[in-house]
Amino acid sequence: MASKDSILESVEEMDDSPDSGSDFEVELKAKKRGKMAVAAPKSPKRPRRKAALSVSSRSSSIPTSPDSSLQQRPPGRTSGQASARPVTALSKGSRGITAADIYDAVCSGKTAMVTVVDEWLDSYKQSREAGLLVLINFLVRSCGCKGVVSREMLDSMQNAEIIGKLTKEFNEDSVNYPLCTPGPQLKHFKAGLCEFVRVLVRLCQHSLIYDEYLFPLLLALLTGLSDSQVRAFRHTSTLIAMKVMTGLVEVAVVVSVQLQTTQRQHDLENSKGPHDQAPGRLEELQATVCELRENREELSCMMNATFRGVFVHRYRDQLSDIRATCIEELGMWLQKDPEDFLNDGCIKYLGWTLYDKQSPVRLRCVRALQALYQEKEFIGRLELFTSRFKERMLSMVLDKDPEVAVEVVNLLLLLQQNTEEGLTEEECGHIYPLVYALNPALASAAGVFLFKKLKTVLASDHQESDTSENAGFFQILISFFLQSEFHKHGAYLVDSLWAVARSELRDWGTMTALLLQESGLIYEEEGVLIELMMCAVRQEAQGTPPVGRTQGKKNPTMKNKKVQEQVRSRITSHFIPLLPRLLAKYSPDAEKVSLLLKAPLYFSLEMYSSTAGLEKHLDLLLSQVSGIIEKHTDATVLEACGTLVSTLCDDRYTFSPRTNRAFSQLMDGLTEHFNAYLSDLLQGTADDDDVYTAASALKRIAALSSAMDLTGCKLFDSCLELLKSRIESSWTPSAPVGELDEELMVSALRCAAFYLMWAKVNAVNSTPAEEEMNRLKKEMRSFCRVCETCLSLNQKGIRDQTFELLCDLLLLYSASSAHVEPDLQALVCLPSDSLRSEMASFLLDYIFSDSEAAELDVGREEAMKITLLQRRRNQLAGYCKMVLYGVLDLTAATNVFKHYDKYFKDFGDIIKETVSKSKVIDPVRSARTVCLCLQQMFSEMLAEEPSQQDVGAIRNLAKRLAMSFGVDLRRARKPLVALHVDGVRFAFREPAEGEEQQANVAFLEILSEFSFKLLQQDRVHLAAVLKAECPDAALSWPSVRLYERSLGGRSSAKARVTGEGGNADFSHEAPAAKRKRSTPPVRGSWLDGSSVHSSLPPPAFTSTAQRQPASRAAASEPGSEDEFSLGSSMRKVKTRHQTPSSSQTVPTVDMEDINSPLNLLSLIDDDEENEEDPDIEDYESDFDNDSAYTLPSTRHTSASVLNELFD
């Protein structure tokens, strides 16, 4: 149709135009209204029969050119209708509704918009010029401008001149305007404004849209405002223009339908014979068709002009909210009027916007595409777009914004389901790994995609029964899990599929049937199915996602608890008779049986005693668990058995005596087996087989000791004698140890340690006699002496186990544990000085060391490094707990604090928590410990060669530790003063024999890192301490002067920038006036060679396709950056001596014009916004040069526009 062709031709002309990239081309080329009279008028239009409002005809109709139709006003205005008074000054009672009334109704959101628009239409019918002024002033006020458009301005001024005058009157105190005001007001205002525009277009669709006055002039003003440099004008006008455009599209669709219907009626009537035609019917239909065509052409003209004048420029605006609004409305146009808009010329804007930097814009774009791909009749028109931008959509599944990534996955699912080509397996491979993502929404979306894909594959097999269908589903899922190579993440896969495949994953019958059948699954598939089954059991029983996907803690309600109990009962009823059979079948396989042993942890174990006939299954379970313990020595299996034994032996269950008896018998057999080889082991006559048998028995005993109280077996003395014997007779501390000896020693250490732990628990529950407590304390000391020797052994497994057991035992027998039970004070056992020294050496040699990680093989590097790091973190946490609970003195924390900066990535959270907790225990001692830590590092540095001495690492550590004192400086007063006093005294202490005089003075530079936390009164006090401690000859030394300046109110960072001149001191309390500073060179300072200048951080990129911004050099005076950030008051200080940056475009202004509205930086966007939101054209390199999609140019010069708008 003609309307469709006009839009398509205009869009193509816009893209081919060489100056289409200019944001201001529509407004700048407008001519004076007075010159429009010379244009040849068109013939008057035919009177409209359906018009509801009669208005005086204009001397000329709207020009066919979209540019002139929106920017020029009709000259046909009578002087009698002109009024110099603003419409907003009219009283509502006498002349109708005012702009203020409309604005209040929109802001409140409580008034029906139909009523508001009807009242305005009544006033418009009385005087369309006055009604138009009311509407214009409402739009101006919606922008946050307090200016008013008068009748004289409307008659005698161009749009650009009106906008320029309003800009000068835009005298607002804050940068906020109604559309960006924080809080709920924004939501109400934006919704009310959009509703007002929607109702306005809907109520005018039969009459005022075609009056050639209201909407052309309104759109012309909105187009001009959308090109304004004032963000409030540009944002608000673009939103209104896009909503008007959406309303026009809806009206155009209705008119098109009416035109088609009427045309069919006309053709039908015309096909009849002359005698069969109704009188006058054919002429009436012909007139209606002509009128509808005229209406459609007018709507096409307005839509075409709005698309070219507003959308084409604003979809790439600097403000992301404007871009998001344009793309969102474009999606509505494509969906509502596909005949006119769903073509390559329009949909390409969605493809370009997929590369937008801001996630809200990409999100609106993806959602707009979802609406298109949902309609199968649109798929044919999207083929070129799909082939061109599919690669970009696939890459966006890794978008930095999880919400965007979720919508992209949903979009690709629609593309997979509704297009003929769909996605290849290679393309689907971009989405499959997301089922293991930590973000719950993204993982769930990927789970839906995977489930649909698996169901599609399953449907091709034409399986009929439900059981076989589920069995086939598990077969495909197992294959996927094996091929994905994420074998340790079964819980995350199950959680991702849980929302969409819950019924399949809860089919315990199918899973257990597959596992129990003799043939069907291969070895690897059985292991995968067991893992998935146990993960599904855990998910169903606990109802919680795996670690990392939890979104806050929710206290379960009584209803939820009841549901969980019912779920556990169903799981228990199914697995109780089958679990012994599964354990019997897979008992030889350590990995599979360790998974199956977790099943009873999710049972309702009361059913074993409350339900008749289930006790026999309990006996079978106990028999299988005992057999597994006797059969396996794998640590994972024995740990799982220990956890299960601890659960089954709980006194809450009535069957606990039976389980205790069964495992006690097992324990007696193992103890007897171990004692049979003990004498040979102590005498050194045991061969390798005897050592292996004894080590295996002792390993099983240790696993049971962690779950049961085995103090009655009296194994402590035997284990201790065995440890002493192996240490003294078999090898020296520096000699290597065999693998069998290591297992034997580790098992003996664990058995002895668990004995001491259970003994302490029994002592707390029932206070023993004094003789018993003395014996227990003696045993504890004996064990500590053995452990002290083991810490120096050259075997990693023994060292690690010894250190971990010591941390637990020393906490259990510490003085803090006796506070609850004063009668157990005799059991307090503190570590000896030698033991503390050994533990500190272990900390430095094996925790804060990278030697073990460097020795790992390249093939096993990642997995082994993670395991090693986790063990080191546990060991460090145990040592820190001993410091915090008083087992070790607080000064022992210096060994931890000094590695805070170097190992921040691995242990930063643990050390930070330790520093924080130590301040709660004793703030002053904690601060002095921090100072002692720095003193030790400084002394170690002085002992090095002069060429290797670098104070930079110590200063970095001091910066991190200074931040730990928090923001409440009054609470940190005493600790900070104590730290500074200790530091000053250390700097000027008397040197020992052979030491250099005043060698520690440079420590003051490190101490200055803590000065910015001091209050003013404390600075004065510390300055006096410095003068008292410092010799007179040293007052002029660089380090002393640097510390003095830090106490004088300047931060150490500022002092480093200004050097040692000291001529421009600043106070933290009140910024001083800026003046020139001299920076004389300083020699012999610790600051020499250090990089102290910093640059502002670049803006954060949010797109998945990041690029580096162009580097720019800015010439500024050293230190000006820090002074600028001191406070907002500095912005009004005129810096005449500063050299401006070459990239600045804001002109120099006189002092009297500093507060002029023309220089309000909060209103006018400067060139810095181009940094924050680079144009989409920068992604043009992602496409081929010969592509049909050519990215638009966004280059424009703002100088001419500023001259015209703000002259």
Side-chain angles (χ1 to χ4, degrees):
M1 61 180 62
S3 60
K4 176 180 177 181
D5 295 336
S6 63
I7 292 182
L8 294 181
E9 292 173 1
S10 63
V11 171
E12 297 302 327
E13 290 173 2
M14 168 202 60
D15 292 331
D16 297 335
S17 176
D19 58 347
S20 62
S22 174
D23 288 353
F24 315 104
E25 60 178 356
V26 178
E27 183 174 327
L28 292 180
K29 295 180 181 178
K31 298 181 179 179
K32 296 290 185 180
R33 294 189 181 88
K35 298 180 180 180
M36 293 177 58
V38 300
K42 292 185 178 181
S43 59
K45 289 181 177 280
R46 182 183 298 105
R48 305 183 184 279
R49 294 179 293 102
K50 297 183 179 180
L53 178 64
S54 298
V55 295
S56 59
S57 61
R58 296 170 48 189
S59 60
S60 63
S61 59
I62 300 178
T64 57
S65 172
D67 294 339
S68 61
S69 66
L70 286 183
Q71 303 305 323
Q72 299 178 0
R73 297 177 184 268
R77 288 200 185 97
T78 60
S79 59
Q81 293 175 340
S83 175
R85 294 183 303 166
V87 179
T88 54
L90 299 176
S91 62
K92 181 179 178 181
S94 60
R95 297 296 301 273
I97 193 170
T98 64
D101 298 329
I102 302 177
Y103 181 81
D104 294 339
V106 169
C107 289
S108 64
K110 299 179 180 179
T111 307
M113 284 301 157
V114 176
T115 305
V116 177
V117 176
D118 281 339
E119 291 185 14
W120 177 83
L121 287 176
D122 292 339
S123 65
Y124 183 82
K125 292 175 182 179
Q126 298 175 8
S127 173
R128 67 177 188 177
E129 287 81 3
L132 178 62
L133 276 177
V134 171
L135 186 59
I136 291 176
N137 282 304
F138 161 68
L139 299 181
V140 171
R141 184 163 183 179
S142 298
C143 297
C145 179
K146 295 181 173 61
V148 176
V149 180
S150 64
R151 180 71 62 83
E152 294 177 352
M153 294 171 58
L154 195 62
D155 289 340
S156 61
M157 298 174 66
Q158 247 187 326
N159 279 340
E161 296 172 338
I162 294 175
I163 296 171
K165 185 174 179 59
L166 290 175
T167 302
K168 295 178 182 179
E169 296 177 1
F170 208 128
N171 188 14
E172 192 182 19
D173 298 333
S174 67
V175 297
N176 291 332
Y177 50 96
L179 273 184
C180 73
T181 302
Q185 181 180 357
L186 167 63
K187 184 178 180 181
H188 294 159
F189 177 80
K190 185 175 181 180
L193 183 61
C194 297
E195 178 67 12
F196 175 82
V197 175
R198 186 188 68 82
V199 174
L200 176 64
V201 177
R202 181 170 59 85
L203 294 183
C204 297
Q205 62 178 330
H206 299 300
S207 56
L208 296 183
I209 285 185
Y210 314 109
D211 72 347
E212 301 178 348
Y213 180 79
L214 173 62
F215 278 86
L217 297 185
L218 176 63
L219 291 174
L221 180 62
L222 291 175
T223 304
L225 287 172
S226 67
D227 276 340
S228 173
Q229 285 288 300
V230 180
R231 177 175 294 187
F233 283 155
R234 199 169 70 251
H235 188 186
T236 309
S237 61
T238 302
L239 174 64
I240 297 175
M242 294 296 98
K243 292 298 179 181
V244 171
M245 177 74 170
T246 303
L248 293 177
V249 169
E250 294 176 352
V251 175
V253 172
V254 174
V255 171
S256 297
V257 173
Q258 293 176 350
L259 178 60
Q260 294 175 3
T261 303
T262 308
Q263 184 66 46
R264 287 197 301 267
Q265 293 175 353
H266 175 271
D267 296 341
L268 180 62
E269 189 69 21
N270 192 27
S271 64
K272 296 179 181 179
H275 301 286
D276 298 330
Q277 294 180 357
R281 176 64 174 167
L282 189 61
E283 291 76 7
E284 182 181 359
L285 290 175
Q286 181 64 36
T288 304
V289 168
C290 294
E291 181 180 0
L292 289 174
R293 285 177 178 172
E294 291 179 3
N295 292 348
R296 189 64 177 85
E297 290 176 1
E298 267 192 61
L299 290 172
S300 299
C301 181
M302 288 188 289
M303 291 190 300
N304 184 20
T306 305
F307 190 88
R308 294 187 59 185
V310 181
F311 174 83
V312 170
H313 305 300
R314 297 279 69 81
Y315 90 95
R316 59 193 178 201
D317 194 273
Q318 297 168 352
L319 187 62
S320 60
D321 290 342
I322 297 179
R323 302 199 300 272
T325 299
C326 292
I327 294 303
E328 183 178 14
E329 297 305 314
L330 176 61
M332 299 292 294
W333 309 337
L334 293 169
Q335 188 178 5
K336 291 178 180 295
D337 191 4
E339 295 296 328
D340 291 332
F341 290 96
L342 190 56
N343 52 68
D344 298 335
C346 294
I347 198 175
K348 63 185 178 183
Y349 296 105
L350 293 180
W352 292 338
T353 314
L354 288 173
Y355 295 90
D356 197 279
K357 278 181 51 181
Q358 302 299 324
S359 59
V361 184
R362 299 196 302 273
L363 182 63
R364 305 285 178 84
C365 183
V366 173
R367 286 177 175 171
L369 289 173
Q370 287 179 2
L372 298 180
Y373 278 97
Q374 283 177 351
E375 304 295 335
K376 292 187 177 181
E377 58 267 22
F378 294 167
I379 299 300
R381 303 185 184 185
L382 295 172
E383 289 182 356
L384 180 58
F385 177 87
T386 303
S387 62
R388 201 73 189 90
F389 293 101
K390 182 191 290 187
E391 183 178 355
R392 172 58 183 167
M393 288 188 283
L394 289 171
S395 66
M396 288 180 69
V397 298
L398 299 178
D399 196 278
K400 286 190 174 182
D401 189 344
E403 189 176 3
V404 176
V406 170
E407 297 300 334
V408 170
V409 173
N410 294 333
L411 173 62
L412 292 173
L413 177 60
L414 293 173
L415 193 148
Q416 165 72 16
Q417 293 176 335
N418 296 336
T419 59
E420 294 182 1
E421 298 81 5
L423 298 176
T424 64
E425 282 299 323
E426 182 180 358
E427 292 170 341
C428 292
H430 291 77
I431 307 172
Y432 291 154
L434 298 179
V435 296
Y436 303 103
L438 285 181
N439 185 270
L442 180 58
S444 180
V448 173
F449 184 92
L450 174 62
F451 179 75
K452 299 293 184 182
K453 182 67 175 180
L454 297 180
K455 282 294 186 180
T456 302
V457 176
L458 187 61
S460 62
D461 296 339
H462 303 286
Q463 298 181 359
E464 300 178 356
S465 62
D466 295 337
T467 304
S468 60
E469 182 179 354
N470 286 345
F473 172 78
F474 287 120
Q475 290 276 7
I476 300 174
L477 183 61
I478 290 170
S479 300
F480 167 78
F481 190 73
L482 288 173
Q483 295 173 6
S484 64
E485 299 180 356
F486 288 94
H487 297 173
K488 302 299 181 183
H489 299 77
Y492 295 89
L493 175 61
V494 170
D495 182 65
S496 301
L497 294 170
W498 195 251
V500 65
R502 185 174 182 178
S503 59
E504 287 82 358
L505 294 174
R506 291 190 305 174
D507 190 358
W508 320 121
T510 301
M511 287 188 278
T512 52
L514 289 173
L515 291 172
L516 290 175
Q517 66 183 5
E518 293 300 328
S519 60
L521 298 177
I522 62 176
Y523 177 81
E524 292 81 3
E525 293 176 343
E526 289 177 341
V528 171
L529 183 56
I530 290 175
E531 181 177 357
L532 295 178
M533 181 179 69
M534 296 315 303
C535 292
V537 168
R538 187 207 64 82
Q539 186 91 358
E540 178 74 0
Q542 294 183 348
T544 57
V547 178
R549 288 188 182 174
T550 306
Q551 295 180 335
K553 294 184 178 179
K554 297 182 179 180
N555 295 326
T557 61
M558 294 300 298
K559 181 179 180 180
N560 292 338
K561 290 181 179 179
K562 187 176 181 180
V563 171
Q564 289 302 116
E565 291 177 359
Q566 296 175 354
V567 168
R568 284 177 174 262
S569 299
R570 288 196 296 268
I571 294 174
T572 307
S573 301
H574 177 79
F575 279 98
I576 277 183
L578 298 178
L579 183 58
R581 295 174 56 189
L582 292 172
L583 291 174
K585 180 177 180 179
Y586 296 103
S587 60
D589 193 313
E591 183 178 358
K592 297 174 183 176
V593 78
S594 61
L595 292 173
L596 291 172
L597 286 171
K598 297 178 181 179
L601 303 180
Y602 310 113
F603 289 177
S604 293
L605 295 177
E606 299 86 353
M607 294 181 63
Y608 274 114
S609 56
S610 61
T611 305
L614 295 183
E615 292 185 356
K616 61 178 181 180
H617 297 296
L618 176 61
D619 294 334
L620 293 174
L621 177 62
L622 296 177
S623 175
Q624 289 296 330
V625 173
S626 300
I628 292 171
I629 294 175
E630 293 177 346
K631 185 183 301 182
H632 286 275
T633 58
D634 184 78
T636 305
V637 177
L638 293 179
E639 182 181 357
C641 290
T643 304
L644 180 57
V645 169
S646 177
T647 303
L648 295 176
C649 293
D650 198 318
D651 294 336
R652 294 178 301 170
Y653 306 118
T654 56
F655 57 81
S656 59
R658 178 183 301 181
T659 57
N660 279 310
R661 182 168 59 252
F663 292 121
S664 296
Q665 294 175 358
L666 174 63
M667 186 64 189
D668 293 340
L670 293 174
T671 304
E672 182 179 354
H673 200 59
F674 168 71
N675 289 330
Y677 296 95
L678 180 60
S679 59
D680 293 339
L681 293 173
L682 294 177
Q683 296 174 6
T685 59
D687 56 10
D688 291 344
D689 293 338
D690 296 339
V691 173
Y692 173 77
T693 305
S696 300
L698 200 58
K699 197 172 184 179
R700 298 183 179 101
I701 293 173
L704 291 176
S705 298
S706 63
M708 299 176 58
D709 180 11
L710 302 179
T711 54
C713 296
K714 305 297 182 182
L715 287 175
F716 178 79
D717 294 335
S718 301
C719 292
L720 204 61
E721 289 297 327
L722 178 61
L723 290 170
K724 292 179 180 179
S725 173
R726 307 302 289 184
I727 291 174
E728 296 175 358
S729 61
S730 297
W731 35 268
T732 61
S734 59
V737 186
E739 183 178 355
L740 294 178
D741 289 327
E742 181 182 351
E743 290 188 3
L744 185 64
M745 295 289 293
V746 170
S747 300
L749 284 169
R750 296 187 65 202
C751 287
F754 285 135
Y755 169 86
L756 294 174
M757 293 178 187
W758 281 110
K760 179 62 184 293
V761 172
N762 295 334
V764 172
N765 294 334
S766 59
T767 305
E770 183 178 355
E771 180 180 356
E772 183 67 20
M773 287 193 293
N774 291 335
R775 183 188 62 80
L776 182 57
K777 186 174 183 179
K778 182 179 179 180
E779 292 174 344
M780 177 64 184
R781 289 179 175 175
S782 301
F783 182 75
C784 289
R785 285 193 294 269
V786 173
C787 290
E788 182 180 340
T789 306
C790 292
L791 285 175
S792 60
L793 297 179
N794 193 25
Q795 193 65 20
K796 180 180 181 299
I798 299 176
R799 287 196 313 264
D800 291 343
Q801 188 67 70
T802 301
F803 187 85
E804 295 168 4
L805 292 174
L806 270 177
C807 292
D808 294 336
L809 282 174
L810 290 175
L811 281 176
L812 197 58
Y813 284 84
S814 63
S816 59
S817 64
H819 292 166
V820 182
E821 296 289 341
D823 297 336
L824 301 180
Q825 190 68 31
L827 290 179
V828 174
C829 182
L830 298 177
S832 61
D833 294 339
S834 58
L835 180 58
R836 294 176 184 176
S837 177
E838 287 291 343
M839 298 187 75
S841 300
F842 180 90
L843 184 76
L844 300 176
D845 295 340
Y846 303 111
I847 296 180
F848 294 115
S849 175
D850 298 326
S851 58
E852 295 184 8
E855 296 174 359
L856 296 176
D857 297 336
V858 178
R860 302 185 304 164
E861 182 177 3
E862 293 301 326
M864 292 299 295
K865 276 188 176 181
I866 293 174
T867 304
L868 178 61
L869 177 60
Q870 186 61 42
R871 185 154 198 173
R872 289 164 62 194
R873 285 175 57 86
N874 292 337
Q875 292 167 352
L876 177 61
Y879 187 87
C880 292
K881 283 192 291 185
M882 288 194 297
V883 173
L884 297 177
Y885 283 92
V887 177
L888 301 177
D889 190 73
L890 193 57
T891 56
T894 56
N895 296 323
V896 178
F897 294 170
K898 65 177 60 175
H899 298 92
Y900 188 22
D901 185 64
K902 182 178 180 181
Y903 291 92
F904 182 81
K905 181 180 179 181
D906 295 337
F907 310 114
D909 54 338
I910 299 176
I911 302 176
K912 180 180 179 180
E913 187 68 14
T914 304
V915 174
S916 177
K917 294 294 184 182
S918 66
K919 294 184 184 301
V920 175
I921 297 172
D922 193 334
V924 175
R925 286 190 63 199
S926 175
R928 288 181 171 175
T929 302
V930 169
C931 186
L932 177 62
C933 164
L934 298 174
Q935 293 172 11
Q936 292 176 356
M937 294 188 67
F938 186 81
S939 300
E940 294 172 1
M941 183 200 67
L942 293 180
E944 299 175 352
E945 294 293 333
S947 60
Q948 299 179 355
Q949 293 179 1
D950 182 17
V951 79
I954 308 178
R955 296 194 71 163
N956 292 335
L957 174 62
K959 291 177 185 178
R960 284 197 183 273
L961 293 174
M963 299 307 297
S964 66
F965 285 89
V967 296
D968 190 352
L969 302 184
R970 295 190 179 276
R971 179 178 296 180
R973 284 189 62 187
K974 291 183 179 180
L976 283 171
V977 171
L979 182 146
H980 277 270
V981 171
D982 288 356
V984 171
R985 290 175 180 173
F986 172 77
F988 298 106
R989 72 177 182 179
E990 292 295 330
E993 294 183 3
E995 291 185 358
E996 183 183 353
Q997 292 290 332
Q998 305 299 337
N1000 298 336
V1001 173
F1003 185 77
L1004 293 177
E1005 298 183 18
I1006 301 172
L1007 198 61
S1008 65
E1009 299 291 347
F1010 297 88
S1011 299
F1012 75 99
K1013 291 283 187 179
L1014 292 170
L1015 298 180
Q1016 186 60 35
Q1017 53 268 40
D1018 296 332
R1019 298 173 188 268
V1020 176
H1021 170 67
L1022 290 174
V1025 173
L1026 178 65
K1027 292 182 179 180
E1029 295 288 339
C1030 178
D1032 295 338
L1035 289 175
S1036 60
W1037 292 0
S1039 299
V1040 178
R1041 295 174 63 188
L1042 175 63
Y1043 184 65
E1044 281 184 323
R1045 283 196 302 274
S1046 70
L1047 295 179
R1050 173 181 293 172
S1051 65
S1052 59
K1054 183 64 181 294
R1056 293 197 304 274
V1057 174
T1058 58
E1060 273 32 14
N1063 293 330
D1065 292 341
F1066 268 95
S1067 172
H1068 280 274
E1069 285 75 15
K1074 183 176 180 181
R1075 62 185 179 216
K1076 292 184 179 180
R1077 294 163 291 154
S1078 59
T1079 56
V1082 180
R1083 297 180 181 179
S1085 171
W1086 286 103
L1087 296 176
D1088 292 346
S1090 62
S1091 176
V1092 295
H1093 295 281
S1094 62
S1095 61
L1096 292 176
F1101 290 102
T1102 56
S1103 175
T1104 56
Q1106 295 187 0
R1107 61 180 179 85
Q1108 296 295 334
S1111 59
R1112 296 169 302 173
S1116 60
E1117 182 178 320
S1120 61
E1121 177 186 317
D1122 291 325
E1123 292 180 3
F1124 181 79
S1125 61
L1126 286 177
S1128 59
S1129 61
M1130 293 295 295
R1131 299 177 184 174
K1132 297 183 180 180
V1133 178
K1134 189 175 182 181
T1135 56
R1136 301 182 183 275
H1137 62 278
Q1138 186 173 0
T1139 303
S1141 171
S1142 60
S1143 63
Q1144 293 177 350
T1145 60
V1146 180
T1148 305
V1149 295
D1150 295 333
M1151 204 57 160
E1152 59 268 21
D1153 295 334
I1154 196 69
N1155 295 321
S1156 172
L1158 299 182
N1159 298 291
L1160 292 177
L1161 299 181
S1162 61
L1163 298 178
I1164 302 175
D1165 299 321
D1166 55 12
D1167 290 342
E1168 290 180 358
E1169 290 183 345
N1170 292 329
E1171 277 186 63
E1172 300 174 0
D1173 298 303
D1175 298 326
I1176 304 175
E1177 66 166 357
D1178 295 313
Y1179 299 107
E1180 188 170 1
S1181 59
D1182 292 338
F1183 304 103
D1184 299 331
N1185 294 330
D1186 56 349
S1187 170
Y1189 293 95
T1190 304
L1191 294 180
S1193 173
T1194 57
R1195 304 299 182 193
H1196 63 272
T1197 57
S1198 59
S1200 60
V1201 179
L1202 290 174
N1203 293 335
E1204 179 174 349
L1205 292 183
F1206 306 134
D1207 188 5

